[in-house]
């Protein structure tokens, strides 16, 4: 298996788990947040759906200059819109990864804010940290938001506490 195939397999596996999470987001509570310093639910859920887009952006550019970007944060107003954002970004990421060569993964990519370089690393490192790990981090936050709102949390790597059925005291296991 080459690096492209491994990254695509992980992306598709994790996207399926992310989709289960996003399908449970109550978009009628988009303005809710657990703490004054926290992101609002709608922004966090939309950010989780957007993050796979970093993969295509990283593979098709040499840098991102925050001082020049005209980014407008998305806030999905329906479950369908939220899942659509995820699906679209995953599709773009898969295409970019399929088309990438080994040399592409090793080319440096830079994040800057005008003249200040925040980081430069090989694209593969950017994908692993700024796309995949960043995505998992915020998806974990989203699971906590759901728990605090008393919405059943889907299992990501096996069943969650909401997926497990209680076993009767007289049930024999084994």
């Amino acid at each position: 298996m080459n690096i492209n195939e491994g990254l695509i397999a992980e992306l598709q596996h994790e996207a399926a788990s992310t989709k289960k999470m996003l399908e449970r987001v109550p978009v009628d509570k988009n303005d809710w947040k657990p703490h004054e310093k926290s992101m609002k639910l709608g922004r966090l859920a939309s950010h989780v759906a957007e993050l796979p887009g970093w993969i295509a952006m990283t593979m098709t550019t040499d840098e991102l200059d925050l001082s020049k970007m005209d980014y407008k944060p998305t806030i999905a107003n329906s479950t369908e819109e939220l899942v659509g954002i995820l699906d679209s970004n995953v599709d773009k990421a898969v295409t970019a990864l399929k088309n990438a060569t080994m040399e592409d993964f090793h080319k440096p990519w830079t994040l800057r804010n005008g003249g200040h370089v925040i980081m430069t690393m090989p694209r593969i490192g950017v994908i692993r940290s700024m796309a995949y790990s960043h995505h998992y981090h915020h998806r974990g936050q989203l699971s906590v938001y759901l728990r605090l709102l008393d919405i059943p949390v889907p299992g990501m790597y096996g069943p969650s506490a909401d997926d497990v059925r209680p076993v009767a005291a007289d049930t024999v296991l084994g």
Side-chain angles (χ1 to χ4, degrees):
M1 177 182 296
N2 65 35
I3 196 165
N4 307 54
E5 293 166 336
L7 289 169
I8 291 167
E10 179 179 352
L11 174 63
Q12 290 174 329
H13 174 78
E14 295 295 339
S17 292
T18 299
K19 187 179 287 191
K20 289 191 300 185
M21 183 85 60
L22 294 176
E23 289 171 341
R24 297 189 184 189
V25 171
V27 293
D28 62 322
K29 295 186 178 351
N30 272 351
D31 287 334
W32 182 86
K33 58 184 181 175
H35 187 274
E36 187 55 38
K37 293 180 181 178
S38 300
M39 259 192 270
K40 291 180 179 180
L41 173 64
R43 180 63 207 119
L44 176 60
S46 295
H47 187 55
V48 167
E50 292 171 330
L51 278 168
W54 271 80
I55 298 165
M57 185 263 304
T58 299
M59 294 308 298
T60 59
T61 65
D62 293 324
E63 72 173 26
L64 174 61
D65 186 343
L66 299 173
S67 71
K68 294 180 182 177
M69 69 184 283
D70 187 29
Y71 175 71
K72 304 258 186 302
T74 299
I75 299 177
N77 292 307
S78 71
T79 301
E80 294 77 18
E81 183 182 1
L82 196 53
V83 170
I85 292 167
L86 175 70
D87 288 343
S88 174
N89 282 306
V90 169
D91 289 346
K92 291 173 190 170
V94 167
T95 298
L97 291 170
K98 279 183 182 177
N99 294 328
T101 65
M102 283 305 293
E103 294 84 32
D104 292 333
F105 287 112
H106 295 287
K107 287 180 184 173
W109 189 88
T110 300
L111 178 62
R112 69 173 60 245
N113 191 2
H116 172 67
V117 173
I118 298 166
M119 66 165 210
T120 297
M121 67 171 67
R123 287 179 174 160
I124 187 65
V126 175
I127 289 169
R128 292 293 324 145
S129 64
M130 297 297 293
Y132 285 51
S133 294
H134 188 177
H135 179 232
Y136 308 151
H137 160 75
H138 284 302
R139 187 178 68 193
Q141 283 183 306
L142 185 57
S143 73
V144 173
Y145 280 37
L146 295 180
R147 174 67 68 228
L148 292 172
L149 289 167
D150 203 27
I151 295 168
V153 177
M156 297 290 104
Y157 303 107
S160 74
D162 296 313
D163 295 332
V164 177
R165 291 190 177 104
V167 178
D170 60 349
T171 301
V172 177
L173 300 175

